[in-house]
């Protein structure tokens, strides 16, 4: 009997409780600021007010605080932000509305399927993956998002000279990331100082918790050859 191969997922579903404000945000603001998952390529030019802006995809934005800050700071980019957890989606939708942020659209779906089905090849200028689940137990390492099959898909979607920025506060995962990228010839590392955070990335809530526990943070950036 053939063993069933587990598909790569960008998440594990741990739904928190929605506040009334978050639930109202999803109900009222999704039609304006969210994109439903579809099994056809998205037209970036029709999504944003500034249709000529470069496109950055973010996988797993959590509660969306850092996403909103980065989008306001890097206003010359458009951001397609992916998250499966409803509380974070609701919170970011409310932030987009209240702060009048025009360069973010949200997709609430698994990021691997979004990449595969919705994102045109050679269309992305950047990819942000901040603090993905480290799956720190060795027997669970195979569940990590950063694997060769995932990066092969990412390589198809990034333009030449586009970047992928991954942040993690687990040293073992940082070493894993560097090792996996060694076998992907489409990428070359950009930053030599892996503990120097780029100025555009604010601290996240998860990151601050890790820092309080004494964790060191790695910001690893690769360029698409």
């Amino acid at each position: 009997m053939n063993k069933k191969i587990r598909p790569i997922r960008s998440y594990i579903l741990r739904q928190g409780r929605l506040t009334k404000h978050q639930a109202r945000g999803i109900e009222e603001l999704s039609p304006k600021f969210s994109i439903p998952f579809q099994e056809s390529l998205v037209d970036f030019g029709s999504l944003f007010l500034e249709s000529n802006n470069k496109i950055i995809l973010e996988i797993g934005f959590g509660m969306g605080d850092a996403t909103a800050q980065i989008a306001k700071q890097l206003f010359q980019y458009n951001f397609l932000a992916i998250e499966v957890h409803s509380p974070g989606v609701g919170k970011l939708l409310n932030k987009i509305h209240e702060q009048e942020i025009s360069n973010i659209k949200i997709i609430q779906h698994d990021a691997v399927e979004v990449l595969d089905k919705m994102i045109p090849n050679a269309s992305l200028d950047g990819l942000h993956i901040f603090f993905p689940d480290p799956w720190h137990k060795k027997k669970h390492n195979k569940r990590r998002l950063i694997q060769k099959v995932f990066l092969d898909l990412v390589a198809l979607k990034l333009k030449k000279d586009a970047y992928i920025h991954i942040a993690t506060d687990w040293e073992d995962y940082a070493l894993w990331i560097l090792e996996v990228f060694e076998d992907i010839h489409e990428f070359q590392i950009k930053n030599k100082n892996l503990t120097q955070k780029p100025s555009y990335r604010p601290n996240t809530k998860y990151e601050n918790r890790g820092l309080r526990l004494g964790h060191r943070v790695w910001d690893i950036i690769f360029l698409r050859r």
Side-chain angles (χ1 to χ4, degrees), residues 39-57:
E39 294 197 2
S40 58
L41 298 178
V42 67
D43 177 14
F44 290 128
S46 65
L47 293 183
F48 299 94
L49 290 177
E50 297 295 333
S51 59
N52 293 324
N53 283 0
K54 294 181 177 181
I55 302 291
I56 294 177
L57 181 74

Side-chain angles (χ1 to χ4, degrees), residues 16-96:
R17 180 174 296 179
L18 274 171
T19 66
K20 291 182 179 179
H21 187 49
Q22 292 165 354
R24 187 166 60 248
I26 290 174
E27 181 180 357
E28 297 178 358
L29 301 175
S30 287
K32 185 174 182 181
F33 301 118
S34 291
I35 307 166
F37 175 74
Q38 61 190 44
E39 294 197 2
S40 58
L41 298 178
V42 67
D43 177 14
F44 290 128
S46 65
L47 293 183
F48 299 94
L49 290 177
E50 297 295 333
S51 59
N52 293 324
N53 283 0
K54 294 181 177 181
I55 302 291
I56 294 177
L57 181 74
E58 180 176 7
I59 294 177
F61 59 75
M63 298 306 289
D65 297 315
T67 303
Q69 291 183 54
I70 293 172
K72 288 190 293 183
Q73 181 179 349
L74 302 181
F75 54 85
Q76 71 274 28
Y77 291 88
N78 290 328
F79 290 83
L80 189 60
I82 302 175
E83 178 59 65
V84 295
H85 301 289
S86 295
V89 171
K91 184 175 181 181
L92 182 55
L93 283 168
N94 285 321
K95 279 185 174 291
I96 292 171

Side-chain angles (χ1 to χ4, degrees), residues 119-219:
I119 306 302
N121 289 349
S123 65
L124 299 176
D125 298 278
L127 173 63
H128 293 170
I129 307 175
F130 299 149
F131 304 97
D133 195 323
W135 293 106
H136 58 278
K137 293 183 179 180
K138 191 170 183 178
K139 65 181 180 179
H140 292 155
N141 284 177
K142 61 186 178 182
R143 300 183 182 182
R144 288 173 168 173
L145 176 63
I146 307 303
Q147 300 183 47
K148 184 179 186 303
V149 65
F150 171 72
L151 293 179
D152 286 340
L153 176 60
V154 168
L156 290 175
K157 306 303 175 178
L158 293 178
K159 297 177 181 176
K160 186 179 183 300
D161 296 326
Y163 71 92
I164 175 171
H165 177 182
I166 308 170
T168 181
D169 67 334
W170 284 88
E171 182 175 10
D172 177 69
Y173 201 1
L175 295 174
W176 167 287
I177 290 166
L178 294 171
E179 183 177 343
V180 173
F181 268 94
E182 283 184 1
D183 295 328
I184 313 295
H185 301 298
E186 289 85 356
F187 293 99
Q188 62 181 0
I189 196 161
K190 178 183 179 182
N191 57 328
K192 294 182 179 179
N193 186 350
L194 303 182
T195 59
Q196 182 176 359
K197 183 178 68 173
S199 60
Y200 63 77
R201 187 180 73 74
N203 281 17
T204 68
K205 181 179 179 180
Y206 180 91
E207 177 179 8
N208 287 331
R209 182 172 59 195
L211 291 171
R212 288 195 297 270
L213 293 172
H215 296 184
R216 190 164 60 167
V217 175
W218 284 261
D219 282 87

Side-chain angles (χ1 to χ4, degrees), residues 9-22:
R9 296 288 184 186
S10 61
Y11 67 96
I12 183 170
L13 199 58
R14 303 187 185 102
Q15 289 288 16
R17 180 174 296 179
L18 274 171
T19 66
K20 291 182 179 179
H21 187 49
Q22 292 165 354

